[in-house]
Amino acid sequence: DIQMTQSPSTLSASVGDRVTITCRASQSISSWLAWYQQKPGKAPHLLIYKASSLQSGVPSRFSGSGSGTEFTLTISSLQPDDFATYYCQQYNSYWTFGQGTKVEIK
Amino acid sequence: QVQLVQSGAEVKKPGASVKVSCKASGYTFTNYLIHWVRQAPGQRLEWMGWVNTGNGNTKYSQKFQGRVTNTRDTSASTAYMELSSLRSEDTAIYYCARLYYFDSSGTFDSWGQGTLVTVSS
């Protein structure tokens, strides 16, 4: 199984901050990586697919980069609605998720 | 718009089975695989398996092989996930999700609202 590891596990930030979350795969997954946002009591919501493609309707302050084993999700200017937990997910071989990064208010 | 609506919360005793439904609307049901993902308290999301809503074929994670059964009813545009021999570690929120092919590989563009399954004696 491909293991996904995110860092940090928790991130404290303020509105307007630039935020970066890192995701590492245990082996190369090419660009088959997605990012999801999850709010308490809600289902995950797709933000980014194929490492850097923005899902329809997702604000442009979200961006993704990387390939192979190292990936990042960047929020260029954190908004109040962005405080949530973020998961990376590989879909190169089956589907596995990172442990999540909680973005909380500083 | 695409919508996946799941059945309500369940409380089961250890050793019992649970069957969760996922009703799709807003698209052609048989054109997309439905996957099942669960999230135990404080744990990461965990993929369980899928059902091909067109032909009924299935694929399961090795972890759940032998305990999980995915089915579908095309006349009702509904997919089902049945998990048997429940234990306390199966307490989780179970999600259905639609697999969408953005390219030659696919990921989950729409999710159900989740179904809480609690296993307790």
Side-chain angles (χ1 to χ4, degrees), chain B residues 57-69:
Chain B
N57 287 348
T58 56
K59 181 73 173 179
Y60 305 119
S61 165
Q62 266 198 311
K63 176 174 178 176
F64 301 100
Q65 190 81 39
R67 277 210 305 145
V68 68
T69 304

Side-chain angles (χ1 to χ4, degrees), chain B residues 43-56:
Chain B
Q43 301 297 311
R44 69 183 67 195
L45 295 152
E46 184 174 33
W47 175 75
M48 299 180 68
W50 54 253
V51 60
N52 183 320
T53 52
N55 60 19

Side-chain angles (χ1 to χ4, degrees), chain B residues 26-49:
Chain B
Y27 71 97
T28 302
F29 178 68
T30 51
N31 284 357
Y32 298 88
L33 302 184
I34 290 289
H35 289 239
W36 292 89
V37 175
R38 79 176 187 180
Q39 188 171 36
Q43 301 297 311
R44 69 183 67 195
L45 295 152
E46 184 174 33
W47 175 75
M48 299 180 68

Side-chain angles (χ1 to χ4, degrees), chain B residues 8-117:
Chain B
E10 304 262 14
V11 179
K12 295 292 183 181
K13 292 196 182 306
S17 297
V18 68
K19 190 170 185 177
V20 179
S21 68
C22 171
K23 182 171 177 59
S25 61
Y27 71 97
T28 302
F29 178 68
T30 51
N31 284 357
Y32 298 88
L33 302 184
I34 290 289
H35 289 239
W36 292 89
V37 175
R38 79 176 187 180
Q39 188 171 36
Q43 301 297 311
R44 69 183 67 195
L45 295 152
E46 184 174 33
W47 175 75
M48 299 180 68
W50 54 253
V51 60
N52 183 320
T53 52
N55 60 19
N57 287 348
T58 56
K59 181 73 173 179
Y60 305 119
S61 165
Q62 266 198 311
K63 176 174 178 176
F64 301 100
Q65 190 81 39
R67 277 210 305 145
V68 68
T69 304
N70 291 344
T71 57
R72 94 286 188 225
D73 178 347
T74 56
S75 67
S77 296
T78 300
Y80 301 91
M81 186 283 298
E82 184 170 19
L83 188 62
S84 62
S85 302
L86 289 169
R87 35 211 189 228
S88 58
E89 310 89 87
D90 294 318
T91 293
I93 298 173
Y94 290 77
Y95 294 100
C96 63
R98 186 180 82 157
L99 185 79
Y100 188 88
Y101 281 91
F102 294 97
D103 204 304
S104 57
S105 192
T107 192
F108 311 129
D109 73 328
S110 297
W111 295 64
Q113 83 278 17
T115 297
L116 175 62
V117 175

Side-chain angles (χ1 to χ4, degrees), chain A residues 11-106:
Chain A
L11 189 160
S12 297
S14 302
V15 172
D17 284 353
R18 181 182 181 86
V19 165
T20 298
I21 299 168
T22 298
C23 177
R24 289 187 174 85
S26 60
Q27 63 189 76
S28 178
I29 58 170
S30 184
S31 295
W32 303 121
L33 184 103
W35 289 97
Y36 294 86
Q37 178 193 68
Q38 187 178 34
K39 296 182 178 178
K42 300 292 187 183
H45 174 66
L46 179 65
L47 300 174
I48 301 279
Y49 62 92
K50 208 176 178 186
S52 60
S53 295
L54 198 66
Q55 170 66 332
S56 176
V58 173
S60 59
R61 62 181 180 273
F62 292 93
S63 64
S65 65
S67 66
T69 61
E70 296 244 353
F71 302 87
T72 58
L73 172 71
T74 300
I75 309 172
S76 60
S77 177
L78 199 64
Q79 298 301 300
D81 191 47
D82 300 338
F83 291 99
T85 299
Y86 293 84
Y87 293 93
C88 63
Q89 174 221 40
Q90 69 80 21
Y91 54 104
N92 179 71
S93 175
Y94 297 100
W95 297 265
T96 52
F97 295 83
Q99 81 278 19
T101 295
K102 184 177 181 180
V103 176
E104 60 181 27
I105 300 173
K106 192 172 187 178

